Amino acid sequence: MKLPSRSKAYMIPEYSLTGDLLSFLTCNLQYRYQNKGTLPPSKPVQRWFGEFIHGVMEEAFIQWKQKKTEFPWDWLEDIRPIEEQIDLRLQARGLYPHDEDLFFSSVNNEDTNLNEHDHKKLASARAEKAINIWGKHLFPLIDSSELLIKGIRNMPQYDKNRSRSNYYGINGVVDVLTSMKINNTLEQTNLDNYNNKIIEILKKNNDFQKRINESKDRDEYEIIIDYKGMKRPAIEVDDPKSENKWESHKQQILTYSWLRSQQEDSKSIYAGIIFYLNELVPSKEDLMLIKEEMENGLIDDETLEKYEKDFDLITNWQEDDKAPELSNEFKLNRSIRIINIDKTEIDNSLEKFDKVVYDIEESLIKEMKGNKIQDAWKAEADERTCTACDFRTFCKNNKNKTKDFKIP
Ligand code: SF4
């Protein structure tokens, strides 16, 4: 008697918006080594800070909900314990801050006497500003935090003899604001003199207002929030050789809004908000990049004119100088970005997501068929990414390899 063989396990590949899409777009080969291999980056500073600030904001929201502590929060008393908690969580996942310049980790240090100097470490300074500047406006509007959103899509260019599955899954985690919370906040404050900065910015946003005016269910909507532990990216022209972060972040929010719309309890999504939290306390590197963007004409004239004083300070600032005293208005406005959500934009971003998934799957299939890793995955990234990359010494991208072994 012939025994039937067990059918192959049915597996749907799952892709996350940040872990896969943004990471693959940064560099295909780096993504392969970091995400599909067993090589965690030795000092993933960018990733550590991104996850750290995300965790700090989420935990601060939970504590605000429970205790309703008035703003501004005291760093040592209210914020530092949150930082430690998040740092420990990240350590358990093998993520550590780069060095003491970034963050004083009392867990690894016997000297737990924190002083003013430690308070000024970059990560702590940003956490404090993020909570005290944006937290106080944002937390009262949040309806759901850390909401897991998932969806399923047809595998692009499915071929039963080649593809791993006929579907793929997408997932992401977001915070959601609702019109109900926004309206409650408005009711509790003086309508003519509302003081919630986020509501104020939304009221001045033409696309958002148009959306509300045109809608039948103007009192039933949601806004999706994401925090980024990075500076505001420049508005760039698409270059196939490097990731256009400005565009990718928009696509991420649009895809989130599609995922959210698949959930039963969702309302219409009218906008997305991204917080670029480095802008609240820019590092020297961030300031150098803003300077470069100005020199390369990547900042529009209207913005240059509006914040002329701040841009002048940055132009005259040199790397060894003390950081320029930028205005709060400048920092605040650079740290928030409103994304307009509409159906055509969502469809375009989903198409782009499909294309990225197709490219990842193609590289995976090539590797599974016996191609060498470096032949199956493209090695292309901008100079900054390559300089900080753990794999540059053996990367096939010769330009970066020679940089490391430059002979004087
Ligand atoms: S060195 Fe640059 S091209 Fe090579 S893997 Fe790293 S980021 Fe990619």
Coordinates of all heavy atoms in Angstrom, one line a residue, residues 79-165:
I79 N 10.8 61.0 33.5 CA 11.2 60.5 32.1 C 12.3 59.4 32.2 O 12.2 58.4 31.6 CB 11.6 61.6 31.2 CG1 10.4 62.6 31.1 CG2 12.1 61.1 29.9 CD1 10.6 63.8 30.3
R80 N 13.2 59.7 33.1 CA 14.4 58.8 33.2 C 13.9 57.3 33.5 O 14.5 56.4 32.9 CB 15.3 59.3 34.3 CG 16.5 58.4 34.6 CD 17.4 58.3 33.5 NE 18.4 57.2 33.7 CZ 19.1 56.7 32.7 NH1 19.0 57.1 31.5 NH2 19.9 55.7 33.0
P81 N 13.0 57.0 34.4 CA 12.6 55.6 34.6 C 12.0 55.0 33.4 O 12.2 53.8 33.1 CB 11.5 55.7 35.7 CG 11.7 57.0 36.4 CD 12.3 57.9 35.4
I82 N 11.4 55.8 32.5 CA 10.8 55.2 31.3 C 12.0 54.9 30.4 O 12.0 53.8 29.7 CB 9.9 56.3 30.6 CG1 8.7 56.6 31.5 CG2 9.5 55.8 29.2 CD1 7.7 57.6 30.9
E83 N 13.0 55.8 30.3 CA 14.2 55.5 29.4 C 14.8 54.2 29.8 O 15.2 53.4 29.0 CB 15.2 56.6 29.6 CG 14.7 57.9 29.0 CD 15.8 59.0 29.1 OE1 16.8 58.8 29.8 OE2 15.6 60.1 28.5
E84 N 15.0 54.0 31.2 CA 15.7 52.8 31.6 C 14.9 51.6 31.3 O 15.5 50.6 30.8 CB 15.8 52.9 33.1 CG 17.0 53.7 33.5 CD 17.3 53.5 35.0 OE1 16.7 54.2 35.8 OE2 18.2 52.7 35.3
Q85 N 13.6 51.6 31.4 CA 12.7 50.5 31.1 C 12.8 50.1 29.6 O 13.0 49.0 29.3 CB 11.3 50.9 31.4 CG 10.3 49.8 31.5 CD 8.9 50.4 31.8 OE1 8.8 51.5 32.4 NE2 7.9 49.7 31.4
I86 N 12.8 51.1 28.8 CA 12.9 50.9 27.3 C 14.3 50.4 27.0 O 14.4 49.4 26.2 CB 12.6 52.2 26.5 CG1 11.2 52.7 26.9 CG2 12.6 51.9 25.0 CD1 10.0 51.7 26.7
D87 N 15.3 51.0 27.6 CA 16.7 50.5 27.3 C 16.8 49.0 27.6 O 17.4 48.3 26.9 CB 17.7 51.4 28.2 CG 19.1 51.0 27.9 OD1 19.4 50.7 26.8 OD2 19.9 51.1 28.8
L88 N 16.3 48.6 28.8 CA 16.4 47.2 29.2 C 15.7 46.3 28.2 O 16.2 45.3 27.8 CB 15.7 47.0 30.6 CG 16.6 47.2 31.8 CD1 15.8 47.1 33.0 CD2 17.7 46.2 31.7
R89 N 14.5 46.8 27.7 CA 13.7 46.0 26.7 C 14.6 45.8 25.5 O 14.6 44.7 24.9 CB 12.4 46.7 26.4 CG 11.3 46.3 27.2 CD 10.0 46.9 26.6 NE 9.2 47.5 27.6 CZ 8.3 48.4 27.3 NH1 8.0 48.8 26.1 NH2 7.6 48.9 28.3
L90 N 15.2 46.9 25.1 CA 16.0 46.8 23.8 C 17.3 45.9 24.0 O 17.7 45.2 23.1 CB 16.4 48.2 23.4 CG 15.2 49.1 22.9 CD1 15.7 50.5 22.5 CD2 14.5 48.5 21.8
Q91 N 17.9 46.0 25.2 CA 19.0 45.2 25.5 C 18.7 43.7 25.4 O 19.4 42.9 24.9 CB 19.5 45.5 26.9 CG 20.3 46.8 27.0 CD 21.0 46.9 28.4 OE1 21.4 46.0 29.0 NE2 21.0 48.1 28.8
A92 N 17.4 43.4 25.9 CA 17.0 42.0 25.8 C 16.9 41.5 24.3 O 17.0 40.3 24.0 CB 15.7 41.8 26.5
R93 N 16.8 42.5 23.4 CA 16.7 42.1 22.0 C 18.1 42.3 21.3 O 18.1 42.3 20.1 CB 15.6 42.9 21.3 CG 14.2 42.5 21.8 CD 13.2 43.5 21.3 NE 13.4 43.8 19.9 CZ 13.0 44.9 19.3 NH1 12.4 45.8 20.0 NH2 13.3 45.1 18.0
G94 N 19.1 42.6 22.1 CA 20.4 42.8 21.5 C 20.7 44.1 20.9 O 21.6 44.3 20.1
L95 N 19.9 45.1 21.3 CA 20.1 46.5 20.8 C 20.6 47.4 21.9 O 20.0 47.5 23.0 CB 18.7 47.0 20.3 CG 18.2 46.4 19.0 CD1 16.8 46.9 18.7 CD2 19.0 46.6 17.8
Y96 N 21.7 48.0 21.6 CA 22.4 48.8 22.6 C 22.7 50.2 22.1 O 22.9 50.3 20.9 CB 23.8 48.2 23.1 CG 23.6 46.9 23.8 CD1 23.6 45.7 23.0 CD2 23.5 46.8 25.1 CE1 23.4 44.5 23.6 CE2 23.3 45.6 25.8 CZ 23.3 44.4 25.0 OH 23.1 43.2 25.7
P97 N 22.7 51.2 22.9 CA 23.0 52.5 22.5 C 24.5 52.5 22.0 O 25.3 51.7 22.5 CB 22.8 53.5 23.7 CG 22.8 52.6 24.8 CD 22.3 51.2 24.4
H98 N 24.8 53.4 21.1 CA 26.2 53.4 20.5 C 27.3 53.6 21.5 O 28.2 52.8 21.6 CB 26.2 54.5 19.5 CG 27.5 54.4 18.6 ND1 28.4 55.4 18.7 CD2 27.9 53.5 17.7 CE1 29.4 55.1 17.8 NE2 29.1 53.9 17.3
D99 N 27.2 54.6 22.3 CA 28.2 54.9 23.3 C 27.7 55.9 24.3 O 26.5 56.3 24.2 CB 29.6 55.3 22.7 CG 29.4 56.5 21.8 OD1 28.5 57.3 22.1 OD2 30.1 56.6 20.8
E100 N 28.5 56.3 25.2 CA 28.0 57.3 26.2 C 27.6 58.6 25.7 O 26.9 59.4 26.3 CB 29.0 57.4 27.3 CG 29.0 56.2 28.2 CD 29.7 56.4 29.5 OE1 29.9 57.6 29.9 OE2 30.0 55.4 30.2
D101 N 28.0 58.9 24.5 CA 27.6 60.2 23.9 C 26.1 60.2 23.6 O 25.5 61.3 23.6 CB 28.4 60.5 22.6 CG 29.8 60.9 22.8 OD1 30.1 61.3 23.9 OD2 30.6 60.8 21.9
L102 N 25.6 59.1 23.4 CA 24.2 59.0 23.0 C 23.3 58.9 24.2 O 22.3 59.5 24.3 CB 24.0 57.8 22.1 CG 23.9 58.0 20.6 CD1 23.5 56.7 19.9 CD2 22.8 59.1 20.3
F103 N 23.7 58.0 25.1 CA 22.8 57.7 26.2 C 23.5 57.1 27.4 O 24.3 56.1 27.2 CB 21.7 56.8 25.7 CG 20.7 56.4 26.6 CD1 19.8 57.3 27.2 CD2 20.5 55.0 27.0 CE1 18.8 56.9 28.1 CE2 19.6 54.7 27.9 CZ 18.7 55.6 28.4
F104 N 23.3 57.6 28.5 CA 24.0 57.0 29.7 C 23.1 55.9 30.2 O 22.0 56.0 30.7 CB 24.1 58.1 30.8 CG 24.7 57.7 32.0 CD1 26.1 57.7 32.2 CD2 23.9 57.2 33.1 CE1 26.7 57.3 33.4 CE2 24.5 56.7 34.2 CZ 25.9 56.8 34.4
S105 N 23.7 54.6 30.1 CA 22.9 53.5 30.5 C 23.3 53.1 31.9 O 24.3 52.5 32.1 CB 23.2 52.3 29.5 OG 22.4 51.2 29.9
S106 N 22.5 53.4 32.9 CA 22.8 53.2 34.3 C 22.8 51.7 34.6 O 23.5 51.2 35.5 CB 21.9 53.9 35.2 OG 20.6 53.3 35.1
V107 N 22.2 50.9 33.7 CA 22.1 49.5 33.9 C 23.5 48.9 33.8 O 23.9 47.9 34.5 CB 21.1 48.8 32.9 CG1 21.1 47.3 33.1 CG2 19.8 49.4 33.1
N108 N 24.3 49.4 32.9 CA 25.6 48.9 32.7 C 26.7 49.6 33.5 O 27.9 49.5 33.2 CB 26.0 49.0 31.2 CG 25.2 48.1 30.4 OD1 24.7 47.1 30.9 ND2 25.0 48.3 29.1
N109 N 26.3 50.5 34.3 CA 27.2 51.3 35.0 C 26.9 51.4 36.5 O 25.8 51.7 36.9 CB 27.2 52.7 34.4 CG 28.4 53.5 34.7 OD1 28.8 53.6 35.8 ND2 29.0 54.1 33.7
E110 N 27.9 51.2 37.3 CA 27.6 51.2 38.7 C 27.3 52.6 39.3 O 26.6 52.8 40.2 CB 28.8 50.6 39.5 CG 28.8 49.1 39.4 CD 30.1 48.5 39.9 OE1 30.9 49.2 40.5 OE2 30.3 47.3 39.7
D111 N 27.9 53.6 38.6 CA 27.6 55.0 39.1 C 26.2 55.4 38.6 O 26.1 55.8 37.5 CB 28.7 55.9 38.5 CG 28.5 57.3 38.9 OD1 27.6 57.5 39.8 OD2 29.1 58.2 38.3
T112 N 25.3 55.3 39.5 CA 23.9 55.7 39.0 C 23.5 57.1 39.4 O 22.4 57.5 39.3 CB 22.9 54.7 39.7 OG1 23.1 54.6 41.0 CG2 22.9 53.3 39.0
N113 N 24.6 57.9 39.9 CA 24.3 59.3 40.2 C 24.2 60.1 38.9 O 25.1 60.4 38.3 CB 25.4 59.9 41.1 CG 25.4 59.3 42.4 OD1 24.3 59.0 43.0 ND2 26.5 59.1 43.0
L114 N 23.0 60.3 38.5 CA 22.8 61.1 37.3 C 22.9 62.5 37.6 O 22.6 63.0 38.6 CB 21.4 60.8 36.7 CG 21.2 59.3 36.4 CD1 19.7 59.1 36.0 CD2 22.0 58.9 35.2
N115 N 23.5 63.2 36.6 CA 23.7 64.7 36.8 C 23.2 65.4 35.6 O 22.8 64.8 34.6 CB 25.1 65.0 37.2 CG 26.0 64.4 36.1 OD1 25.7 64.5 34.9 ND2 27.1 63.9 36.5
E116 N 23.3 66.7 35.6 CA 22.9 67.6 34.5 C 23.6 67.2 33.2 O 22.9 67.2 32.2 CB 23.2 69.0 34.9 CG 22.7 70.1 33.9 CD 21.2 70.0 33.8 OE1 20.5 69.4 34.5 OE2 20.8 70.6 32.8
H117 N 24.8 66.8 33.3 CA 25.6 66.4 32.1 C 24.9 65.2 31.4 O 24.7 65.2 30.2 CB 27.0 66.0 32.5 CG 27.8 65.5 31.3 ND1 28.2 66.2 30.2 CD2 28.2 64.2 31.1 CE1 28.8 65.5 29.4 NE2 28.8 64.3 29.9
D118 N 24.5 64.2 32.2 CA 23.9 63.0 31.6 C 22.5 63.4 31.0 O 22.1 62.8 30.0 CB 23.6 61.9 32.7 CG 25.0 61.5 33.3 OD1 25.8 61.2 32.5 OD2 25.1 61.4 34.5
H119 N 21.9 64.3 31.7 CA 20.6 64.7 31.2 C 20.7 65.3 29.8 O 19.8 65.2 29.0 CB 20.1 65.8 32.2 CG 18.8 66.5 31.7 ND1 18.4 67.6 32.3 CD2 17.9 66.1 30.8 CE1 17.2 68.0 31.7 NE2 16.9 67.1 30.8
K120 N 21.9 65.8 29.5 CA 22.0 66.4 28.1 C 22.5 65.4 27.1 O 22.7 65.8 25.9 CB 23.1 67.5 28.2 CG 22.5 68.8 28.9 CD 23.5 69.8 29.0 CE 22.9 71.0 29.8 NZ 23.9 71.9 30.4
K121 N 22.6 64.1 27.4 CA 22.9 63.2 26.3 C 21.8 63.2 25.3 O 20.6 63.4 25.6 CB 22.9 61.8 26.9 CG 24.0 61.6 28.0 CD 25.3 61.4 27.5 CE 26.3 61.1 28.6 NZ 27.7 61.2 28.2
L122 N 22.2 63.1 24.1 CA 21.3 63.3 22.9 C 20.0 62.6 23.0 O 18.9 63.2 22.9 CB 22.1 63.0 21.6 CG 21.5 63.6 20.4 CD1 21.4 65.1 20.5 CD2 22.4 63.2 19.2
A123 N 20.1 61.3 23.3 CA 18.8 60.5 23.3 C 17.9 60.9 24.4 O 16.7 61.0 24.2 CB 19.1 59.0 23.4
S124 N 18.5 61.2 25.6 CA 17.6 61.7 26.7 C 17.1 63.1 26.4 O 15.9 63.3 26.7 CB 18.5 61.8 28.0 OG 18.9 60.5 28.3
A125 N 17.9 63.9 25.8 CA 17.4 65.3 25.5 C 16.2 65.2 24.6 O 15.2 65.9 24.7 CB 18.5 66.1 25.0
R126 N 16.4 64.3 23.6 CA 15.3 64.2 22.6 C 14.0 63.6 23.2 O 12.9 64.0 22.9 CB 15.7 63.3 21.4 CG 16.7 64.1 20.5 CD 17.2 63.2 19.4 NE 18.1 63.9 18.5 CZ 18.9 63.3 17.7 NH1 19.0 62.0 17.7 NH2 19.7 64.0 16.9
A127 N 14.2 62.6 24.1 CA 13.1 62.0 24.8 C 12.3 63.0 25.6 O 11.1 63.1 25.5 CB 13.5 60.8 25.7
E128 N 13.1 63.9 26.3 CA 12.4 64.9 27.1 C 11.6 65.9 26.3 O 10.5 66.2 26.6 CB 13.5 65.6 28.0 CG 12.8 66.5 28.9 CD 13.8 67.5 29.6 OE1 14.9 67.7 29.1 OE2 13.4 68.0 30.7
K129 N 12.3 66.3 25.2 CA 11.6 67.3 24.3 C 10.3 66.6 23.7 O 9.3 67.2 23.6 CB 12.5 67.8 23.2 CG 13.7 68.6 23.7 CD 13.2 70.1 24.0 CE 14.4 70.9 24.5 NZ 14.1 71.7 25.6
A130 N 10.5 65.4 23.2 CA 9.4 64.7 22.5 C 8.2 64.6 23.4 O 7.1 64.9 23.0 CB 9.8 63.3 22.0
I131 N 8.4 64.3 24.7 CA 7.3 64.1 25.6 C 6.7 65.5 26.0 O 5.5 65.7 25.9 CB 7.8 63.4 26.9 CG1 8.0 61.9 26.6 CG2 6.7 63.5 28.0 CD1 8.6 61.1 27.7
N132 N 7.6 66.4 26.3 CA 7.1 67.7 26.8 C 6.6 68.6 25.7 O 5.7 69.5 26.0 CB 8.2 68.4 27.7 CG 8.3 67.8 29.0 OD1 7.3 67.3 29.6 ND2 9.5 67.8 29.6
I133 N 7.2 68.5 24.5 CA 6.7 69.4 23.4 C 5.5 68.7 22.7 O 4.4 69.3 22.6 CB 7.8 69.7 22.4 CG1 8.8 70.6 23.1 CG2 7.2 70.4 21.2 CD1 10.0 71.0 22.3
W134 N 5.7 67.5 22.2 CA 4.6 66.9 21.5 C 3.6 66.0 22.3 O 2.4 66.0 22.1 CB 5.1 66.0 20.3 CG 5.5 66.9 19.1 CD1 6.7 66.8 18.5 CD2 4.8 67.9 18.4 NE1 6.8 67.8 17.5 CE2 5.6 68.4 17.4 CE3 3.5 68.4 18.6 CZ2 5.2 69.4 16.6 CZ3 3.0 69.4 17.7 CH2 3.9 69.9 16.7
G135 N 4.1 65.4 23.3 CA 3.3 64.5 24.2 C 2.1 65.3 24.8 O 1.0 64.8 24.7
K136 N 2.3 66.5 25.2 CA 1.2 67.2 25.9 C 0.1 67.5 24.9 O -1.0 67.6 25.3 CB 1.7 68.4 26.6 CG 2.0 69.6 25.8 CD 2.3 70.8 26.7 CE 2.7 72.0 25.8 NZ 3.2 73.1 26.5
H137 N 0.4 67.7 23.6 CA -0.6 68.0 22.6 C -1.2 66.7 22.0 O -2.4 66.6 21.7 CB -0.1 68.8 21.4 CG 0.5 70.1 21.9 ND1 -0.4 71.1 22.3 CD2 1.7 70.6 22.0 CE1 0.3 72.2 22.6 NE2 1.6 71.9 22.4
L138 N -0.3 65.7 22.0 CA -0.7 64.4 21.3 C -1.5 63.4 22.2 O -2.5 62.9 21.7 CB 0.6 63.8 20.8 CG 0.4 62.5 19.9 CD1 -0.3 62.8 18.6 CD2 1.8 61.9 19.6
F139 N -1.0 63.2 23.4 CA -1.6 62.2 24.2 C -3.1 62.3 24.4 O -3.9 61.3 24.4 CB -0.9 62.1 25.6 CG 0.5 61.6 25.5 CD1 1.4 61.7 26.6 CD2 1.1 61.1 24.3 CE1 2.7 61.3 26.5 CE2 2.4 60.7 24.2 CZ 3.2 60.8 25.3
P140 N -3.6 63.6 24.6 CA -5.1 63.6 24.8 C -5.9 63.3 23.6 O -7.1 63.0 23.7 CB -5.3 65.1 25.2 CG -4.0 65.7 25.5 CD -3.0 64.9 24.8
L141 N -5.2 63.2 22.4 CA -6.0 62.9 21.2 C -5.9 61.4 20.8 O -6.6 61.0 19.9 CB -5.4 63.7 20.0 CG -5.3 65.2 20.2 CD1 -4.7 65.9 18.9 CD2 -6.6 65.9 20.5
I142 N -5.0 60.7 21.4 CA -4.8 59.3 21.1 C -6.0 58.4 21.5 O -6.3 58.4 22.7 CB -3.5 58.7 21.6 CG1 -2.3 59.4 20.9 CG2 -3.4 57.2 21.4 CD1 -0.9 58.9 21.4
D143 N -6.5 57.6 20.6 CA -7.6 56.7 21.0 C -7.1 55.3 21.2 O -7.4 54.6 22.1 CB -8.6 56.7 19.8 CG -9.9 56.1 20.3 OD1 -10.5 56.6 21.2 OD2 -10.3 55.0 19.7
S144 N -6.2 54.8 20.2 CA -5.6 53.5 20.4 C -4.1 53.7 20.2 O -3.7 54.3 19.2 CB -6.1 52.5 19.3 OG -7.4 52.7 19.1
S145 N -3.3 53.1 21.1 CA -1.9 53.2 20.9 C -1.4 51.8 20.6 O -2.0 50.8 21.0 CB -1.2 53.7 22.1 OG -1.2 52.8 23.1
E146 N -0.2 51.7 19.9 CA 0.4 50.4 19.5 C -0.6 49.4 18.9 O -0.7 48.3 19.3 CB 1.0 49.8 20.8 CG 2.1 50.5 21.4 CD 3.5 50.0 21.0 OE1 4.0 49.1 21.6 OE2 4.0 50.6 20.0
L147 N -1.4 49.9 18.0 CA -2.4 49.1 17.4 C -1.8 48.2 16.2 O -1.1 48.8 15.3 CB -3.5 50.0 16.7 CG -4.7 49.3 16.3 CD1 -5.6 48.8 17.4 CD2 -5.6 50.3 15.4
L148 N -1.9 46.9 16.4 CA -1.3 46.0 15.3 C -2.3 46.0 14.1 O -3.5 45.7 14.3 CB -1.1 44.6 15.9 CG -0.5 43.6 14.9 CD1 0.9 44.0 14.4 CD2 -0.5 42.2 15.5
I149 N -1.8 46.3 13.0 CA -2.7 46.3 11.8 C -2.1 45.3 10.8 O -0.9 45.3 10.5 CB -2.9 47.7 11.2 CG1 -1.6 48.4 11.1 CG2 -3.9 48.5 11.9 CD1 -1.7 49.8 10.5
K150 N -2.9 44.4 10.3 CA -2.4 43.4 9.4 C -3.3 43.3 8.1 O -4.5 43.6 8.2 CB -2.5 42.0 10.1 CG -1.4 41.8 11.1 CD -1.6 40.4 11.7 CE -0.3 39.9 12.3 NZ 0.0 38.6 12.0
G151 N -2.8 42.8 7.1 CA -3.6 42.6 5.9 C -3.0 41.6 5.0 O -1.8 41.2 5.2
I152 N -3.7 41.2 4.0 CA -3.2 40.2 3.0 C -3.4 40.6 1.6 O -4.4 41.3 1.3 CB -3.9 38.8 3.4 CG1 -3.0 37.7 2.9 CG2 -5.2 38.7 2.7 CD1 -3.3 36.4 3.7
R153 N -2.4 40.3 0.8 CA -2.5 40.8 -0.7 C -2.1 39.6 -1.6 O -1.3 38.7 -1.1 CB -1.6 42.0 -0.9 CG -2.1 43.2 -0.2 CD -1.3 44.4 -0.6 NE -1.2 44.8 -2.0 CZ -2.2 45.4 -2.6 NH1 -3.3 45.7 -2.0 NH2 -2.0 45.7 -3.9
N154 N -2.5 39.7 -2.8 CA -2.0 38.7 -3.8 C -0.5 38.9 -4.0 O 0.0 40.0 -4.1 CB -2.8 38.9 -5.1 CG -4.2 38.6 -5.0 OD1 -4.6 37.7 -4.2 ND2 -5.0 39.2 -5.8
M155 N 0.1 37.7 -4.1 CA 1.6 37.8 -4.4 C 1.8 38.4 -5.8 O 1.1 37.9 -6.8 CB 2.1 36.3 -4.4 CG 3.6 36.3 -4.6 SD 4.6 37.2 -3.4 CE 4.7 36.0 -2.1
P156 N 2.6 39.4 -5.9 CA 2.7 40.0 -7.3 C 3.4 39.0 -8.2 O 4.3 38.3 -7.9 CB 3.7 41.2 -7.0 CG 4.2 41.0 -5.6 CD 3.3 40.1 -4.9
Q157 N 2.9 39.0 -9.5 CA 3.3 38.1 -10.5 C 3.4 36.6 -10.1 O 4.5 36.0 -10.2 CB 4.7 38.6 -11.1 CG 4.6 40.0 -11.7 CD 5.8 40.4 -12.3 OE1 6.5 39.6 -13.0 NE2 6.1 41.7 -12.2
Y158 N 2.4 36.2 -9.4 CA 2.4 34.8 -8.9 C 2.6 33.8 -10.0 O 2.0 33.8 -11.0 CB 1.0 34.5 -8.2 CG 0.9 33.1 -7.7 CD1 1.7 32.6 -6.7 CD2 -0.1 32.3 -8.4 CE1 1.6 31.3 -6.3 CE2 -0.2 31.0 -8.0 CZ 0.6 30.5 -7.0 OH 0.5 29.1 -6.6
D159 N 3.5 32.8 -9.7 CA 3.8 31.8 -10.6 C 3.8 30.5 -9.8 O 4.7 30.4 -8.9 CB 5.1 32.0 -11.3 CG 5.6 30.9 -12.2 OD1 5.0 29.8 -12.1 OD2 6.5 31.1 -13.0
K160 N 2.9 29.5 -10.0 CA 2.8 28.4 -9.1 C 4.1 27.5 -9.1 O 4.3 26.8 -8.1 CB 1.5 27.6 -9.3 CG 1.5 26.7 -10.6 CD 0.2 25.9 -10.4 CE -0.2 25.0 -11.6 NZ 0.3 25.1 -12.8
N161 N 4.9 27.6 -10.1 CA 6.1 26.8 -10.2 C 7.3 27.5 -9.5 O 8.3 27.0 -9.4 CB 6.5 26.4 -11.6 CG 5.4 25.6 -12.2 OD1 4.8 24.7 -11.6 ND2 5.0 26.0 -13.5
R162 N 7.1 28.8 -9.3 CA 8.2 29.6 -8.8 C 8.0 30.3 -7.5 O 8.8 30.2 -6.6 CB 8.5 30.6 -9.9 CG 9.8 31.3 -9.8 CD 9.9 32.2 -11.1 NE 10.7 33.4 -10.8 CZ 12.0 33.4 -10.7 NH1 12.7 32.2 -10.9 NH2 12.7 34.5 -10.4
S163 N 6.8 30.9 -7.4 CA 6.5 31.7 -6.2 C 6.4 30.9 -4.9 O 6.0 29.7 -5.0 CB 5.3 32.5 -6.4 OG 5.3 33.2 -7.6
R164 N 6.7 31.5 -3.8 CA 6.6 30.7 -2.5 C 5.2 30.6 -2.0 O 4.9 29.7 -1.3 CB 7.4 31.5 -1.4 CG 8.9 31.5 -1.7 CD 9.7 31.8 -0.4 NE 9.4 33.2 0.0 CZ 9.5 33.6 1.3 NH1 10.0 32.8 2.2 NH2 9.3 34.8 1.6
S165 N 4.3 31.5 -2.4 CA 3.0 31.5 -2.0 C 2.1 32.4 -2.9 O 2.7 33.2 -3.6 CB 2.9 32.0 -0.6 OG 1.6 32.4 -0.2

